[in-house]
Short mmCIF file of all heavy atoms in Angstrom, two decimals:
data_model
loop_
_atom_site.label_atom_id
_atom_site.label_comp_id
_atom_site.label_asym_id
_atom_site.label_seq_id
_atom_site.Cartn_x
_atom_site.Cartn_y
_atom_site.Cartn_z
N MET A 65 0.85 -1.15 -0.01
CA MET A 65 -0.10 -0.02 -0.03
C MET A 65 0.92 1.19 -0.03
O MET A 65 0.59 2.31 -0.70
CB MET A 65 -0.89 0.01 1.20
CG MET A 65 -1.88 1.02 1.28
SD MET A 65 -3.06 0.87 -0.09
CE MET A 65 -4.05 2.32 0.15
N LYS A 66 1.96 1.24 0.73
CA LYS A 66 2.81 2.31 0.81
C LYS A 66 3.49 2.71 -0.57
O LYS A 66 3.62 3.93 -0.82
CB LYS A 66 3.90 2.17 1.90
CG LYS A 66 4.65 0.87 1.74
CD LYS A 66 5.34 0.57 3.05
CE LYS A 66 5.69 -0.87 2.98
NZ LYS A 66 5.19 -1.69 4.06
N THR A 67 3.73 1.63 -1.30
CA THR A 67 4.35 1.93 -2.64
C THR A 67 3.37 2.54 -3.56
O THR A 67 3.66 3.42 -4.28
CB THR A 67 4.84 0.58 -3.26
OG1 THR A 67 5.73 -0.03 -2.34
CG2 THR A 67 5.59 0.88 -4.57
N VAL A 68 2.07 2.17 -3.51
CA VAL A 68 1.01 2.69 -4.26
C VAL A 68 0.80 4.26 -3.91
O VAL A 68 0.67 4.96 -4.84
CB VAL A 68 -0.38 1.92 -4.09
CG1 VAL A 68 -1.48 2.54 -4.80
CG2 VAL A 68 -0.19 0.50 -4.51
N ILE A 69 0.77 4.45 -2.62
CA ILE A 69 0.77 5.89 -2.30
C ILE A 69 1.91 6.72 -2.77
O ILE A 69 1.72 7.89 -3.26
CB ILE A 69 0.62 5.91 -0.68
CG1 ILE A 69 -0.63 5.46 -0.23
CG2 ILE A 69 0.74 7.40 -0.20
CD1 ILE A 69 -0.72 5.31 1.33
N TRP A 70 3.10 6.16 -2.80
CA TRP A 70 4.20 6.95 -3.28
C TRP A 70 4.11 7.09 -4.80
O TRP A 70 4.46 8.20 -5.24
CB TRP A 70 5.48 6.06 -2.90
CG TRP A 70 6.71 6.84 -3.18
CD1 TRP A 70 7.34 7.69 -2.21
CD2 TRP A 70 7.61 6.90 -4.32
NE1 TRP A 70 8.44 8.25 -2.71
CE2 TRP A 70 8.69 7.68 -4.03
CE3 TRP A 70 7.50 6.24 -5.57
CZ2 TRP A 70 9.74 7.99 -4.87
CZ3 TRP A 70 8.43 6.46 -6.41
CH2 TRP A 70 9.55 7.34 -6.13
N ILE A 71 3.66 6.07 -5.49
CA ILE A 71 3.49 6.19 -7.03
C ILE A 71 2.42 7.20 -7.23
O ILE A 71 2.51 8.04 -8.21
CB ILE A 71 3.22 4.84 -7.63
CG1 ILE A 71 4.34 3.92 -7.55
CG2 ILE A 71 2.79 4.95 -8.91
CD1 ILE A 71 4.22 2.50 -7.87
N ILE A 72 1.29 7.20 -6.68
CA ILE A 72 0.24 8.21 -6.87
C ILE A 72 0.79 9.64 -6.65
O ILE A 72 0.48 10.54 -7.29
CB ILE A 72 -1.02 7.89 -5.97
CG1 ILE A 72 -1.69 6.52 -6.52
CG2 ILE A 72 -1.97 9.09 -6.02
CD1 ILE A 72 -2.74 6.12 -5.63
N GLY A 73 1.60 9.72 -5.57
CA GLY A 73 2.16 11.02 -5.31
C GLY A 73 3.13 11.54 -6.38
O GLY A 73 3.02 12.64 -6.86
N ALA A 74 3.90 10.57 -6.87
CA ALA A 74 4.78 10.99 -8.04
C ALA A 74 3.95 11.31 -9.14
O ALA A 74 4.39 12.25 -9.96
CB ALA A 74 5.74 9.82 -8.29
N LEU A 75 2.85 10.63 -9.59
CA LEU A 75 2.09 10.97 -10.67
C LEU A 75 1.42 12.29 -10.52
O LEU A 75 1.40 13.02 -11.49
CB LEU A 75 1.10 9.83 -10.94
CG LEU A 75 1.59 8.56 -11.46
CD1 LEU A 75 0.43 7.57 -11.52
CD2 LEU A 75 2.21 8.68 -12.78
N LEU A 76 0.95 12.59 -9.28
CA LEU A 76 0.39 13.87 -9.06
C LEU A 76 1.34 15.04 -9.25
O LEU A 76 1.03 16.18 -9.85
CB LEU A 76 -0.28 13.99 -7.65
CG LEU A 76 -1.56 13.17 -7.46
CD1 LEU A 76 -1.89 13.32 -6.01
CD2 LEU A 76 -2.66 13.74 -8.42
N ILE A 77 2.64 14.83 -8.85
CA ILE A 77 3.61 15.85 -9.01
C ILE A 77 3.86 16.05 -10.54
O ILE A 77 3.88 17.20 -11.07
CB ILE A 77 4.92 15.48 -8.35
CG1 ILE A 77 4.81 15.52 -6.80
CG2 ILE A 77 6.16 16.29 -8.81
CD1 ILE A 77 5.93 14.99 -6.06
N VAL A 78 3.91 14.90 -11.31
CA VAL A 78 4.14 15.06 -12.79
C VAL A 78 2.99 15.89 -13.43
O VAL A 78 3.10 16.83 -14.27
CB VAL A 78 4.43 13.77 -13.35
CG1 VAL A 78 4.37 13.84 -14.94
CG2 VAL A 78 5.65 13.12 -12.91
N VAL A 79 1.80 15.47 -13.12
CA VAL A 79 0.61 16.16 -13.67
C VAL A 79 0.63 17.56 -13.26
O VAL A 79 0.28 18.51 -14.08
CB VAL A 79 -0.64 15.36 -13.25
CG1 VAL A 79 -1.88 16.26 -13.67
CG2 VAL A 79 -0.66 13.95 -13.91
N GLY A 80 0.83 17.85 -11.98
CA GLY A 80 0.91 19.30 -11.58
C GLY A 80 1.92 20.07 -12.34
O GLY A 80 1.58 21.32 -12.63
N VAL A 81 3.10 19.58 -12.49
CA VAL A 81 4.11 20.42 -13.23
C VAL A 81 3.78 20.59 -14.66
O VAL A 81 3.88 21.71 -15.17
CB VAL A 81 5.50 19.55 -13.10
CG1 VAL A 81 6.56 20.14 -14.00
CG2 VAL A 81 5.98 19.60 -11.65
N ILE A 82 3.17 19.60 -15.28
CA ILE A 82 2.72 19.67 -16.73
C ILE A 82 1.66 20.76 -16.79
O ILE A 82 1.70 21.63 -17.63
CB ILE A 82 2.19 18.37 -17.11
CG1 ILE A 82 3.48 17.41 -17.52
CG2 ILE A 82 1.48 18.47 -18.56
CD1 ILE A 82 3.12 15.97 -17.82
N SER A 83 0.71 20.69 -15.74
CA SER A 83 -0.38 21.75 -15.88
C SER A 83 0.26 23.15 -15.60
O SER A 83 -0.36 24.15 -16.12
CB SER A 83 -1.50 21.38 -14.87
OG SER A 83 -1.08 21.63 -13.56
N LEU A 84 1.16 23.24 -14.83
CA LEU A 84 1.85 24.53 -14.51
C LEU A 84 2.61 24.99 -15.81
O LEU A 84 2.57 26.17 -16.12
CB LEU A 84 2.82 24.50 -13.35
CG LEU A 84 2.15 24.46 -11.94
CD1 LEU A 84 3.18 24.18 -10.95
CD2 LEU A 84 1.39 25.73 -11.70
N ILE A 85 3.22 24.20 -16.61
CA ILE A 85 3.92 24.57 -17.74
C ILE A 85 3.00 24.94 -18.85
O ILE A 85 3.21 25.95 -19.53
CB ILE A 85 4.84 23.46 -18.19
CG1 ILE A 85 5.99 23.11 -17.17
CG2 ILE A 85 5.54 23.62 -19.61
CD1 ILE A 85 6.77 22.02 -17.36
N PHE A 86 1.95 24.06 -19.12
CA PHE A 86 1.08 24.33 -20.25
C PHE A 86 -0.15 25.10 -20.02
O PHE A 86 -0.53 25.89 -20.90
CB PHE A 86 0.67 22.97 -20.90
CG PHE A 86 1.84 22.25 -21.56
CD1 PHE A 86 2.23 21.04 -20.95
CD2 PHE A 86 2.43 22.64 -22.61
CE1 PHE A 86 3.42 20.42 -21.44
CE2 PHE A 86 3.63 21.99 -23.23
CZ PHE A 86 3.92 20.91 -22.58
N GLY A 87 -0.67 25.07 -18.88
CA GLY A 87 -1.76 25.97 -18.49
C GLY A 87 -3.21 25.60 -19.07
O GLY A 87 -4.12 25.99 -18.51
N ASP A 88 -3.29 24.86 -20.10
CA ASP A 88 -4.49 24.42 -20.63
C ASP A 88 -4.37 23.22 -21.55
O ASP A 88 -3.34 22.94 -21.93
CB ASP A 88 -5.33 25.55 -21.34
CG ASP A 88 -4.59 26.11 -22.51
OD1 ASP A 88 -3.52 25.60 -22.95
OD2 ASP A 88 -4.95 27.00 -23.26
N PHE A 89 -5.39 22.59 -21.85
CA PHE A 89 -5.40 21.51 -22.79
C PHE A 89 -6.65 21.59 -23.68
O PHE A 89 -7.71 22.11 -23.37
CB PHE A 89 -5.22 20.11 -22.05
CG PHE A 89 -6.45 19.71 -21.34
CD1 PHE A 89 -7.38 18.84 -21.77
CD2 PHE A 89 -6.50 20.05 -19.98
CE1 PHE A 89 -8.49 18.47 -20.97
CE2 PHE A 89 -7.55 19.62 -19.14
CZ PHE A 89 -8.55 18.86 -19.70
N THR A 90 -6.47 20.96 -24.88
CA THR A 90 -7.58 20.94 -25.93
C THR A 90 -8.01 19.69 -26.13
O THR A 90 -7.34 18.67 -26.41
CB THR A 90 -6.95 21.71 -27.18
OG1 THR A 90 -6.47 22.93 -26.90
CG2 THR A 90 -8.08 21.84 -28.25
N LEU A 91 -9.42 19.54 -26.15
CA LEU A 91 -10.10 18.28 -26.53
C LEU A 91 -10.59 18.49 -28.03
O LEU A 91 -11.24 19.42 -28.31
CB LEU A 91 -11.32 17.96 -25.56
CG LEU A 91 -10.91 17.78 -24.21
CD1 LEU A 91 -12.31 17.67 -23.28
CD2 LEU A 91 -10.15 16.55 -23.99
N LEU A 92 -10.29 17.43 -28.91
CA LEU A 92 -10.76 17.53 -30.24
C LEU A 92 -11.83 16.45 -30.41
O LEU A 92 -11.72 15.38 -30.03
CB LEU A 92 -9.57 17.21 -31.16
CG LEU A 92 -8.46 18.30 -31.31
CD1 LEU A 92 -7.42 17.77 -32.13
CD2 LEU A 92 -9.11 19.61 -31.74
N GLN A 93 -12.75 16.90 -31.18
CA GLN A 93 -13.88 16.00 -31.57
C GLN A 93 -13.96 16.04 -33.08
O GLN A 93 -13.99 17.07 -33.77
CB GLN A 93 -15.37 16.50 -31.10
CG GLN A 93 -15.60 16.17 -29.71
CD GLN A 93 -17.09 16.51 -29.40
OE1 GLN A 93 -17.61 17.50 -29.87
NE2 GLN A 93 -17.64 15.70 -28.53
N HIS A 94 -13.89 14.74 -33.62
CA HIS A 94 -13.90 14.58 -35.14
C HIS A 94 -15.30 14.16 -35.49
O HIS A 94 -15.99 13.31 -34.96
CB HIS A 94 -12.94 13.51 -35.55
CG HIS A 94 -11.46 13.92 -35.25
ND1 HIS A 94 -10.75 14.69 -36.09
CD2 HIS A 94 -10.71 13.44 -34.20
CE1 HIS A 94 -9.58 14.82 -35.55
NE2 HIS A 94 -9.43 14.00 -34.40
N GLU A 95 -15.75 14.93 -36.55
CA GLU A 95 -17.15 14.73 -36.99
C GLU A 95 -17.17 14.47 -38.43
O GLU A 95 -16.26 15.14 -39.12
CB GLU A 95 -17.97 15.95 -36.71
CG GLU A 95 -18.19 16.23 -35.22
CD GLU A 95 -18.88 17.53 -34.99
OE1 GLU A 95 -19.23 18.20 -35.96
OE2 GLU A 95 -19.11 17.84 -33.79
N ALA A 96 -17.99 13.66 -39.05
CA ALA A 96 -17.99 13.50 -40.42
C ALA A 96 -18.81 14.62 -41.01
O ALA A 96 -20.06 14.84 -40.78
CB ALA A 96 -18.66 12.16 -40.78
N ALA A 97 -18.14 15.38 -41.93
CA ALA A 97 -18.84 16.56 -42.49
C ALA A 97 -19.50 16.18 -43.78
O ALA A 97 -20.67 16.52 -43.86
CB ALA A 97 -17.77 17.55 -42.83
N ILE A 98 -18.85 15.55 -44.76
CA ILE A 98 -19.41 15.13 -46.01
C ILE A 98 -18.99 13.61 -46.15
O ILE A 98 -17.77 13.32 -46.08
CB ILE A 98 -18.95 16.00 -47.13
CG1 ILE A 98 -19.24 17.40 -46.86
CG2 ILE A 98 -19.50 15.53 -48.44
CD1 ILE A 98 -18.69 18.36 -47.77
N GLU A 99 -19.95 12.86 -46.60
CA GLU A 99 -19.57 11.49 -46.99
C GLU A 99 -20.16 11.28 -48.38
O GLU A 99 -21.28 11.16 -48.57
CB GLU A 99 -20.25 10.50 -46.02
CG GLU A 99 -19.62 10.48 -44.56
CD GLU A 99 -20.04 9.44 -43.72
OE1 GLU A 99 -20.52 8.32 -44.19
OE2 GLU A 99 -20.02 9.64 -42.49
N LEU A 100 -19.33 11.08 -49.34
CA LEU A 100 -19.56 10.63 -50.60
C LEU A 100 -18.95 9.24 -50.72
O LEU A 100 -17.95 8.92 -49.99
CB LEU A 100 -18.85 11.56 -51.75
CG LEU A 100 -19.54 12.91 -51.73
CD1 LEU A 100 -18.73 13.81 -52.69
CD2 LEU A 100 -21.00 13.03 -52.05
N ALA A 101 -19.41 8.44 -51.56
CA ALA A 101 -19.05 7.04 -51.74
C ALA A 101 -17.57 6.69 -51.50
O ALA A 101 -17.16 6.12 -50.59
CB ALA A 101 -19.60 6.31 -53.01
N PRO A 102 -16.67 7.33 -52.40
CA PRO A 102 -15.23 6.96 -52.20
C PRO A 102 -14.56 8.08 -51.30
O PRO A 102 -13.36 7.82 -50.89
CB PRO A 102 -14.70 7.12 -53.60
CG PRO A 102 -15.54 8.13 -54.32
CD PRO A 102 -16.97 7.94 -53.66
N LEU A 103 -15.17 9.11 -50.89
CA LEU A 103 -14.61 10.27 -50.20
C LEU A 103 -15.28 10.50 -48.95
O LEU A 103 -16.49 10.63 -48.89
CB LEU A 103 -14.58 11.48 -51.20
CG LEU A 103 -13.90 12.68 -50.65
CD1 LEU A 103 -12.54 12.56 -50.39
CD2 LEU A 103 -14.22 13.92 -51.54
N LYS A 104 -14.63 10.70 -47.87
CA LYS A 104 -15.08 11.13 -46.63
C LYS A 104 -14.33 12.26 -46.10
O LYS A 104 -13.01 12.11 -45.88
CB LYS A 104 -15.06 9.96 -45.58
CG LYS A 104 -15.87 8.83 -45.79
CD LYS A 104 -15.77 7.71 -44.73
CE LYS A 104 -16.71 6.54 -45.15
NZ LYS A 104 -16.50 5.49 -44.10
N LEU A 105 -15.02 13.38 -45.78
CA LEU A 105 -14.40 14.50 -45.30
C LEU A 105 -14.81 14.63 -43.73
O LEU A 105 -15.93 14.50 -43.32
CB LEU A 105 -14.78 15.71 -45.97
CG LEU A 105 -14.33 15.87 -47.49
CD1 LEU A 105 -14.91 17.07 -48.15
CD2 LEU A 105 -12.84 15.95 -47.53
N ARG A 106 -13.80 14.92 -42.99
CA ARG A 106 -14.06 15.02 -41.59
C ARG A 106 -13.62 16.48 -41.14
O ARG A 106 -12.67 16.99 -41.62
CB ARG A 106 -13.23 14.04 -40.76
CG ARG A 106 -13.67 12.59 -41.08
CD ARG A 106 -12.86 11.54 -40.46
NE ARG A 106 -12.74 11.72 -38.95
CZ ARG A 106 -12.15 10.97 -38.22
NH1 ARG A 106 -11.63 9.80 -38.65
NH2 ARG A 106 -12.01 11.11 -36.84
N ALA A 107 -14.36 16.88 -40.08
CA ALA A 107 -13.95 18.20 -39.51
C ALA A 107 -13.72 17.95 -37.96
O ALA A 107 -14.27 17.11 -37.35
CB ALA A 107 -15.21 19.23 -39.73
N ALA A 108 -12.64 18.76 -37.63
CA ALA A 108 -12.29 18.64 -36.12
C ALA A 108 -12.70 19.86 -35.41
O ALA A 108 -12.32 21.00 -35.93
CB ALA A 108 -10.70 18.40 -36.05
N GLU A 109 -13.33 19.73 -34.37
CA GLU A 109 -13.74 20.88 -33.55
C GLU A 109 -13.21 20.59 -32.20
O GLU A 109 -13.22 19.66 -31.54
CB GLU A 109 -15.17 20.91 -33.50
CG GLU A 109 -15.74 22.18 -32.75
CD GLU A 109 -17.18 22.19 -32.62
OE1 GLU A 109 -17.92 21.59 -33.62
OE2 GLU A 109 -17.74 22.76 -31.76
N GLY A 110 -12.41 21.77 -31.71
CA GLY A 110 -11.70 21.66 -30.48
C GLY A 110 -12.34 22.66 -29.40
O GLY A 110 -12.82 23.72 -29.76
N SER A 111 -12.22 22.22 -28.19
CA SER A 111 -12.60 23.13 -27.07
C SER A 111 -11.40 23.18 -26.13
O SER A 111 -10.84 22.07 -25.70
CB SER A 111 -13.92 22.57 -26.41
OG SER A 111 -13.73 21.20 -25.89
N THR A 112 -11.02 24.33 -25.70
CA THR A 112 -9.88 24.48 -24.74
C THR A 112 -10.41 24.53 -23.39
O THR A 112 -11.34 25.22 -23.12
CB THR A 112 -9.16 25.65 -25.10
OG1 THR A 112 -8.71 25.64 -26.48
CG2 THR A 112 -7.89 25.84 -24.25
N ILE A 113 -9.76 23.79 -22.49
CA ILE A 113 -10.05 23.89 -21.03
C ILE A 113 -8.89 24.39 -20.27
O ILE A 113 -7.82 23.85 -20.27
CB ILE A 113 -10.33 22.38 -20.48
CG1 ILE A 113 -11.65 21.83 -21.35
CG2 ILE A 113 -10.63 22.32 -19.03
CD1 ILE A 113 -11.96 20.35 -21.00
N PRO A 114 -9.01 25.67 -19.63
CA PRO A 114 -8.01 26.16 -18.99
C PRO A 114 -7.86 25.58 -17.51
O PRO A 114 -8.70 25.13 -17.03
CB PRO A 114 -8.40 27.65 -18.83
CG PRO A 114 -9.89 27.57 -18.82
CD PRO A 114 -10.21 26.43 -19.73
N LEU A 115 -6.60 25.47 -17.22
CA LEU A 115 -6.14 24.97 -15.85
C LEU A 115 -5.54 26.07 -15.09
O LEU A 115 -4.45 26.56 -15.50
CB LEU A 115 -5.25 23.77 -15.95
CG LEU A 115 -5.86 22.45 -16.53
CD1 LEU A 115 -4.67 21.46 -16.64
CD2 LEU A 115 -6.84 21.93 -15.67
N PRO A 116 -6.20 26.61 -14.07
CA PRO A 116 -5.52 27.65 -13.25
C PRO A 116 -4.33 27.11 -12.51
O PRO A 116 -4.12 25.97 -12.22
CB PRO A 116 -6.55 27.95 -12.18
CG PRO A 116 -7.87 27.25 -12.66
CD PRO A 116 -7.46 26.21 -13.53
N PRO A 117 -3.25 28.08 -12.42
CA PRO A 117 -2.08 27.65 -11.71
C PRO A 117 -2.27 27.19 -10.36
O PRO A 117 -1.41 26.36 -9.80
CB PRO A 117 -1.14 28.97 -11.69
CG PRO A 117 -1.85 29.77 -12.80
CD PRO A 117 -3.29 29.37 -13.00
N LEU A 118 -3.33 27.60 -9.74
CA LEU A 118 -3.60 27.13 -8.37
C LEU A 118 -3.80 25.57 -8.28
O LEU A 118 -3.38 24.97 -7.46
CB LEU A 118 -4.95 27.80 -7.85
CG LEU A 118 -5.29 27.56 -6.35
CD1 LEU A 118 -4.23 27.98 -5.38
CD2 LEU A 118 -6.61 28.24 -6.05
N ILE A 119 -4.52 24.98 -9.37
CA ILE A 119 -4.74 23.61 -9.41
C ILE A 119 -3.39 22.86 -9.55
O ILE A 119 -3.23 21.87 -8.90
CB ILE A 119 -5.75 23.28 -10.58
CG1 ILE A 119 -7.18 23.83 -10.21
CG2 ILE A 119 -5.81 21.78 -10.81
CD1 ILE A 119 -8.20 23.58 -11.30
N GLY A 120 -2.61 23.40 -10.53
CA GLY A 120 -1.29 22.77 -10.62
C GLY A 120 -0.39 22.76 -9.46
O GLY A 120 0.17 21.76 -9.00
N GLY A 121 -0.44 23.92 -8.74
CA GLY A 121 0.31 23.93 -7.46
C GLY A 121 -0.24 23.10 -6.54
O GLY A 121 0.55 22.47 -5.62
N ALA A 122 -1.57 22.94 -6.31
CA ALA A 122 -2.16 22.10 -5.33
C ALA A 122 -1.82 20.65 -5.68
O ALA A 122 -1.62 19.81 -4.72
CB ALA A 122 -3.64 22.30 -5.33
N LEU A 123 -1.83 20.26 -6.96
CA LEU A 123 -1.52 18.79 -7.31
C LEU A 123 -0.04 18.52 -6.92
O LEU A 123 0.30 17.48 -6.42
CB LEU A 123 -1.70 18.67 -8.77
CG LEU A 123 -3.00 18.59 -9.28
CD1 LEU A 123 -3.15 18.46 -10.76
CD2 LEU A 123 -3.79 17.39 -8.70
N VAL A 124 0.93 19.58 -7.15
CA VAL A 124 2.34 19.38 -6.71
C VAL A 124 2.38 19.15 -5.21
O VAL A 124 3.09 18.25 -4.69
CB VAL A 124 3.22 20.45 -7.20
CG1 VAL A 124 4.60 20.48 -6.59
CG2 VAL A 124 3.22 20.34 -8.73
N ILE A 125 1.88 20.01 -4.44
CA ILE A 125 1.78 19.94 -3.01
C ILE A 125 1.20 18.63 -2.49
O ILE A 125 1.80 17.97 -1.63
CB ILE A 125 1.10 21.13 -2.38
CG1 ILE A 125 1.95 22.48 -2.65
CG2 ILE A 125 0.96 20.95 -0.88
CD1 ILE A 125 1.25 23.69 -2.27
N LEU A 126 0.12 18.29 -3.07
CA LEU A 126 -0.58 16.94 -2.72
C LEU A 126 0.30 15.86 -2.94
O LEU A 126 0.42 14.85 -2.27
CB LEU A 126 -1.97 16.83 -3.31
CG LEU A 126 -2.69 15.59 -2.93
CD1 LEU A 126 -2.99 15.58 -1.46
CD2 LEU A 126 -4.06 15.52 -3.80
N GLY A 127 1.01 15.80 -4.12
CA GLY A 127 1.96 14.89 -4.48
C GLY A 127 3.13 14.69 -3.60
O GLY A 127 3.50 13.57 -3.17
N VAL A 128 3.66 15.77 -3.07
CA VAL A 128 4.78 15.79 -2.19
C VAL A 128 4.34 15.29 -0.84
O VAL A 128 5.04 14.36 -0.24
CB VAL A 128 5.29 17.29 -2.03
CG1 VAL A 128 6.28 17.35 -0.80
CG2 VAL A 128 6.03 17.77 -3.25
N VAL A 129 3.03 15.62 -0.42
CA VAL A 129 2.62 15.10 0.88
C VAL A 129 2.47 13.64 0.74
O VAL A 129 2.74 12.81 1.74
CB VAL A 129 1.25 15.75 1.24
CG1 VAL A 129 0.52 15.05 2.38
CG2 VAL A 129 1.51 17.27 1.59
N LEU A 130 1.76 13.06 -0.31
CA LEU A 130 1.61 11.65 -0.51
C LEU A 130 2.90 10.96 -0.54
O LEU A 130 3.00 9.76 0.02
CB LEU A 130 0.80 11.40 -1.74
CG LEU A 130 -0.63 11.69 -1.63
CD1 LEU A 130 -1.44 11.39 -2.93
CD2 LEU A 130 -1.40 10.92 -0.50
N MET A 131 3.93 11.42 -1.26
CA MET A 131 5.15 10.78 -1.15
C MET A 131 5.87 10.73 0.08
O MET A 131 6.47 9.74 0.44
CB MET A 131 6.07 11.53 -2.28
CG MET A 131 5.71 11.17 -3.62
SD MET A 131 6.90 11.98 -4.98
CE MET A 131 8.29 10.84 -4.72
N THR A 132 5.69 11.85 0.83
CA THR A 132 6.30 11.83 2.19
C THR A 132 5.58 10.91 3.07
O THR A 132 6.16 10.13 3.83
CB THR A 132 6.16 13.36 2.87
OG1 THR A 132 6.72 14.19 1.98
CG2 THR A 132 6.67 13.41 4.18
N VAL A 133 4.28 10.76 3.03
CA VAL A 133 3.40 9.79 3.82
C VAL A 133 3.94 8.40 3.35
O VAL A 133 4.06 7.50 4.27
CB VAL A 133 1.93 10.00 3.51
CG1 VAL A 133 1.15 8.84 4.19
CG2 VAL A 133 1.58 11.29 4.32
N GLY A 134 3.97 8.12 2.02
CA GLY A 134 4.48 6.76 1.60
C GLY A 134 5.91 6.43 2.08
O GLY A 134 6.13 5.34 2.50
N LEU A 135 6.77 7.41 2.17
CA LEU A 135 8.13 7.01 2.61
C LEU A 135 7.95 6.86 4.26
O LEU A 135 8.65 5.93 4.76
CB LEU A 135 9.00 8.23 2.36
CG LEU A 135 9.53 8.32 0.96
CD1 LEU A 135 10.42 9.67 0.85
CD2 LEU A 135 10.34 7.02 0.47
N ALA A 136 7.19 7.65 5.00
CA ALA A 136 7.16 7.48 6.37
C ALA A 136 6.47 6.17 6.69
O ALA A 136 6.90 5.42 7.62
CB ALA A 136 6.24 8.58 7.02
N ASP A 137 5.41 5.81 5.85
CA ASP A 137 4.83 4.36 6.15
C ASP A 137 5.75 3.22 5.86
O ASP A 137 5.64 2.19 6.43
CB ASP A 137 3.60 4.25 5.27
CG ASP A 137 2.42 5.13 5.90
OD1 ASP A 137 2.52 5.49 7.05
OD2 ASP A 137 1.39 5.15 5.21
N ALA A 138 6.64 3.52 4.92
CA ALA A 138 7.62 2.52 4.60
C ALA A 138 8.75 2.30 5.64
O ALA A 138 9.49 1.38 5.60
CB ALA A 138 8.32 2.68 3.23
N GLY A 139 8.76 3.18 6.55
CA GLY A 139 9.76 3.04 7.66
C GLY A 139 11.12 3.62 7.15
O GLY A 139 12.19 3.51 7.83
N LEU A 140 11.16 4.28 6.02
CA LEU A 140 12.43 4.79 5.53
C LEU A 140 12.71 6.16 6.22
O LEU A 140 11.91 6.86 6.44
CB LEU A 140 12.35 5.01 4.02
CG LEU A 140 12.06 3.73 3.23
CD1 LEU A 140 11.91 4.17 1.74
CD2 LEU A 140 13.25 2.88 3.32
N PRO A 141 14.00 6.34 6.55
CA PRO A 141 14.30 7.60 7.20
C PRO A 141 14.09 8.83 6.37
O PRO A 141 14.53 8.78 5.24
CB PRO A 141 15.76 7.46 7.64
CG PRO A 141 16.34 6.41 6.62
CD PRO A 141 15.11 5.52 6.35
N MET A 142 13.56 9.94 6.83
CA MET A 142 13.37 11.09 6.05
C MET A 142 14.62 11.89 5.95
O MET A 142 14.92 12.45 4.97
CB MET A 142 12.20 11.94 6.64
CG MET A 142 10.89 11.17 6.69
SD MET A 142 10.16 11.04 5.25
CE MET A 142 9.42 12.65 5.07
N LYS A 143 15.28 11.91 7.07
CA LYS A 143 16.61 12.58 7.08
C LYS A 143 17.63 11.64 7.90
O LYS A 143 17.47 10.90 8.66
CB LYS A 143 16.55 13.84 8.01
CG LYS A 143 15.62 14.92 7.42
CD LYS A 143 15.76 16.09 8.40
CE LYS A 143 14.86 17.19 7.79
NZ LYS A 143 14.82 18.43 8.68
N ARG A 144 18.86 11.78 7.26
CA ARG A 144 19.91 10.96 7.84
C ARG A 144 20.81 11.85 8.74
O ARG A 144 21.11 12.95 8.27
CB ARG A 144 20.77 10.34 6.82
CG ARG A 144 20.01 9.29 6.07
CD ARG A 144 20.92 8.63 5.09
NE ARG A 144 20.19 7.50 4.42
CZ ARG A 144 20.93 6.81 3.55
NH1 ARG A 144 22.17 6.91 3.32
NH2 ARG A 144 20.11 5.91 2.81
N ARG A 145 21.13 11.37 9.88
CA ARG A 145 22.02 12.21 10.73
C ARG A 145 23.38 11.76 10.46
O ARG A 145 23.80 10.61 10.25
CB ARG A 145 21.72 11.82 12.25
CG ARG A 145 20.50 12.39 12.65
CD ARG A 145 20.18 12.14 14.05
NE ARG A 145 21.33 12.50 14.89
CZ ARG A 145 21.42 12.38 16.18
NH1 ARG A 145 20.46 11.82 16.89
NH2 ARG A 145 22.46 12.69 16.91
N LEU A 146 24.34 12.73 10.30
CA LEU A 146 25.71 12.47 10.12
C LEU A 146 26.39 12.76 11.38
O LEU A 146 26.60 13.88 11.80
CB LEU A 146 26.24 13.43 8.94
CG LEU A 146 25.58 13.31 7.58
CD1 LEU A 146 26.04 14.43 6.59
CD2 LEU A 146 25.79 11.95 7.00
N ASP A 147 26.89 11.66 11.88
CA ASP A 147 27.66 11.84 13.18
C ASP A 147 29.05 11.44 13.05
O ASP A 147 29.47 10.68 12.23
CB ASP A 147 26.99 10.84 14.22
CG ASP A 147 25.66 11.27 14.65
OD1 ASP A 147 25.39 12.45 14.67
OD2 ASP A 147 24.93 10.39 14.94
#
């Protein structure tokens, strides 16, 4: 379970960083515009969905928290003391 939490945290960090870099994403829908026997013309219509930087930052923070919890549950030391 701790490894799954750690992996989910890493994925959230990646998605958060990508959303901070790009800021939005576009969904495309392909529709058949004209269909003649040997010829088919298709039209693509896109809709852009903006992602606020707050969401990207929240995903990164949540990912860091989940990775920290995953490491703590695994019993791995968070800091090493140098004596």
